[in-house]
Amino acid sequence: MKARGRAEAIKRGENIQDKTLGIQKKLLNRINEEYLQQGDAPAMQKRAVATLLYNAVGRGGEIAFANFELMRWDEDNSLLWLGWNSIKTATGSPLSFTSDSSDHCSDVFHALGCFIITAGDSLFRIDDTADATWLFPADGVAASKTSRSLKDLIGKVDGLEDDHASHGFRVGPTDELALNHLVPLVAIVHRGGWELS
């Protein structure tokens, strides 16, 4: 809806919604429980994508650029570091991922482990034209594919609505971080890759 149309709708007393619904951790867990129930390799890939996007506070399309060359394990702190790149901003930075001791459904290590095990040899296809070993090599999982995966779960996952999309994995954790008084604004800005002026 264009600005003029929105203004007219507001004058008629209608609600204007152009913000994405956030996917908070409780909903992420229900989504991931459904993927675990499905239990096959495509479901484990979707779960790994959802879990990484949520924990990275990432844009849906950014997951396509995750690759093994940008990963390293920090033995001293038990952290996984992953170079997180954004085509939209032409920037990148390493992000740390840690274990979620409260629930295995949203645990990055559990999600990646299940995905790698079920993907098997297909994960490490040899492609002489590739510059990197992509984490999600099938077709570079994009925002639209992640959004479609969520649409497929409507009616199966309580609380998942038609207005949820891949961008909800960026909105939801941002809201949760902002509501946590222990998390400084600078940490939220850094995690989401925003600029702070």
Side-chain angles (χ1 to χ4, degrees):
M1 185 183 296
K2 295 195 184 273
R4 186 176 187 152
R6 286 195 296 262
E8 293 301 318
I10 290 169
K11 289 177 184 176
R12 290 190 302 267
E14 297 173 16
N15 187 26
I16 304 300
Q17 179 184 349
D18 58 359
K19 298 239 180 217
T20 304
L21 287 179
I23 297 174
Q24 280 80 24
K25 188 173 177 186
K26 287 182 181 179
L27 181 54
L28 172 69
N29 284 344
R30 289 195 297 270
I31 290 167
N32 284 344
E33 284 170 1
E34 175 62 28
Y35 287 143
L36 284 168
Q37 286 277 344
Q38 293 175 13
D40 58 7
M44 294 303 101
Q45 177 175 329
K46 292 171 190 172
R47 177 177 172 238
V49 166
T51 305
L52 276 171
L53 281 174
Y54 175 89
N55 284 283
V57 189
R59 293 177 188 89
E62 292 171 350
I63 196 73
F65 306 106
N67 67 74
F68 286 99
E69 280 73 26
L70 298 179
M71 293 176 111
R72 71 175 175 84
W73 178 251
D74 180 346
E75 184 71 35
D76 294 333
N77 298 300
S78 297
L79 296 173
L80 175 68
W81 287 91
L82 173 59
W84 196 266
N85 294 318
S86 170
I87 291 247
K88 179 179 180 179
T89 61
T91 60
S93 65
L95 290 181
S96 61
F97 296 88
T98 187
S99 180
D100 184 337
S101 60
S102 66
D103 195 323
H104 75 282
C105 282
S106 55
D107 183 86
V108 170
F109 302 153
H110 192 275
L112 284 173
C114 290
F115 164 62
I116 290 169
I117 289 167
T118 58
D121 290 344
S122 67
L123 187 60
F124 298 103
R125 286 193 309 255
I126 297 173
D127 182 355
D128 294 335
T129 63
D131 295 325
T133 307
W134 302 107
L135 192 55
F136 303 102
D139 55 9
V141 179
S144 58
K145 183 175 180 183
T146 303
S147 293
R148 280 193 309 274
S149 297
L150 290 174
K151 303 290 183 230
D152 292 341
L153 297 180
I154 294 173
K156 298 178 185 176
V157 174
D158 186 40
L160 190 61
E161 300 177 21
D162 195 48
D163 290 334
H164 281 109
S166 64
H167 197 66
F169 292 118
R170 185 166 172 83
V171 174
T174 302
D175 290 344
E176 289 184 327
L177 289 169
L179 292 171
N180 186 332
H181 70 282
L182 298 175
V183 180
L185 176 62
V186 172
I188 299 169
V189 169
H190 176 69
R191 191 69 178 185
W194 292 288
E195 289 186 18
L196 182 63
S197 56

